[in-house]
Amino acid sequence: GKASYALYLLQGSLAAISERLFARYGMLNTNINFLVFVLLSVTVSVLVYQFYEKPLHKGISKMFTS
């Protein structure tokens, strides 16, 4: 839920990076590639939310509530 905006923003870049990595290492199984892409996307999105969006939101909120 909360990390979905990061997922929306990052999916294009992550898809391009994933495609390059799959091609470089000869990973041709599209089912496995899709699974890896989904897991990578969700993981990166949660990390971006946890370590970037959440602290940024908290800092901005403090600026306007003090």
Side-chain angles (χ1 to χ4, degrees), residues 37-48:
F37 169 70
V38 169
L39 292 174
L40 176 68
S41 298
V42 170
T43 302
V44 170
S45 297
V46 168
L47 290 172
V48 166

Side-chain angles (χ1 to χ4, degrees), residues 57-66:
H57 179 69
K58 190 182 286 187
I60 291 172
S61 294
K62 277 185 182 180
M63 284 176 26
F64 291 105
T65 58
S66 308

Side-chain angles (χ1 to χ4, degrees), residues 12-61:
S13 298
L14 291 173
I17 291 168
S18 296
E19 283 181 30
R20 286 186 196 144
L21 288 174
F22 296 148
R24 175 181 285 175
Y25 295 107
M27 296 175 65
L28 303 176
N29 186 332
T30 56
N31 291 330
I32 292 174
N33 293 359
F34 179 72
L35 179 62
V36 169
F37 169 70
V38 169
L39 292 174
L40 176 68
S41 298
V42 170
T43 302
V44 170
S45 297
V46 168
L47 290 172
V48 166
Y49 172 74
Q50 190 67 32
F51 295 108
Y52 182 74
E53 284 186 56
K54 198 172 173 183
L56 188 62
H57 179 69
K58 190 182 286 187
I60 291 172
S61 294

